[in-house]
Amino acid sequence: MHDASYMDFQAKILSFNTELSNYLHSIVQSANEYLQDKFNQKITIRFNYIPSSYDAFIEGSRTKRNRKTIPPKIILSVDLLHGIAHAPAINLGRPQSFLNEAKLTAIALSIRFAIIDAKYLPDASKILVFDDLLVSLDMGNRDIVLEIILNEFPAYQVILMTHDRMFFELAKHKAKSIASDNWLYYEMYESIKDGIL
């Protein structure tokens, strides 16, 4: 325990926990803004961060250690907001039991968009790929997501893939009206020619 490499690793675990906790805190506000301002949802999210540990004390002991590296846990909490001023929010203990798939998708997208806004790796490639991600959303919410993508992330190369013809046409129309001629559109079909797929 007094070895330099042991102490160095403990310091790195502490630094990792601090950095990740701060990062999670930085994206919560942005994610909640997306949820409320863009998706018009009356919900907020919070992250409960349980830090990673290395060789921690066994619970209930001050001398015995577990000799394990325990990964961190990030627990997502969702609160339902009232329309009444100063009314406390209601915590949804199991959001997946109370929220439909469209609201869960809005939460996931809000978190993802907040991560993009945080630009943790400023030199990383600016590419967004969506592969039938919006299939659980109705057309109104798909329209919101397209507006966010086209208006909030103009510096990114965006690749949208879908099997849904209506969504393809909606995305094409939206891109032409907002991003003009900066988009390319491809349709791919499976066919058999001369016995070859």
Side-chain angles (χ1 to χ4, degrees):
M1 286 179 59
H2 300 290
D3 185 77
S5 60
Y6 179 95
M7 292 189 293
D8 181 56
F9 191 68
Q10 286 287 20
K12 286 182 174 153
I13 291 276
L14 179 64
S15 175
F16 171 83
N17 284 325
T18 302
E19 292 257 341
L20 186 52
S21 179
N22 290 340
Y23 181 66
L24 291 171
H25 180 71
S26 75
I27 65 173
V28 165
Q29 183 177 350
S30 178
N32 284 327
E33 287 172 5
Y34 276 106
L35 276 169
Q36 292 161 27
D37 299 341
K38 305 288 186 190
F39 287 103
N40 300 314
Q41 298 295 324
K42 300 269 189 242
I43 51 180
T44 61
I45 63 161
R46 291 177 283 119
F47 292 117
N48 179 21
Y49 180 69
I50 300 171
S52 178
S53 66
Y54 172 67
D55 200 25
F57 286 112
I58 294 172
E59 191 173 334
S61 173
R62 292 185 177 265
T63 56
K64 294 183 183 176
R65 293 182 174 265
N66 64 13
R67 299 182 183 190
K68 294 179 181 176
T69 303
I70 307 295
K73 289 184 181 178
I74 302 169
I75 300 168
L76 174 68
S77 292
V78 179
D79 295 325
L80 183 63
L81 301 174
H82 295 288
I84 305 163
H86 307 297
I90 299 171
N91 179 261
L92 302 177
R94 292 178 47 83
Q96 65 274 26
S97 299
F98 291 94
L99 302 176
N100 63 26
E101 197 170 342
K103 284 183 171 43
L104 294 173
T105 300
I107 290 170
L109 286 171
S110 295
I111 292 169
R112 183 65 187 112
F113 292 148
I115 289 169
I116 295 168
D117 288 342
K119 293 181 184 73
Y120 192 69
L121 299 171
D123 296 332
S125 299
K126 290 183 169 40
I127 300 172
L128 294 176
V129 180
F130 299 94
D131 183 13
D132 266 339
L133 179 67
L134 311 178
V135 75
S136 64
L137 296 176
D138 59 32
M139 280 304 190
N141 280 310
R142 290 180 185 193
D143 194 49
I144 291 169
V145 173
L146 285 172
E147 289 208 11
I148 291 170
I149 292 168
L150 294 169
N151 290 319
E152 303 292 324
F153 306 106
Y156 283 78
Q157 178 179 356
V158 177
I159 300 170
L160 287 172
M161 295 179 279
T162 185
H163 293 93
D164 185 331
R165 182 70 185 187
M166 283 181 59
F167 178 65
F168 175 76
E169 293 300 332
L170 174 66
K172 197 160 119 177
H173 173 74
K174 217 36 154 169
K176 284 180 180 177
S177 67
I178 293 175
S180 65
D181 58 351
N182 294 335
W183 282 75
L184 299 174
Y185 311 94
Y186 295 100
E187 295 181 55
M188 293 182 270
Y189 299 94
E190 179 182 53
S191 64
I192 297 174
K193 184 175 181 181
D194 300 328
I196 300 171
L197 183 64

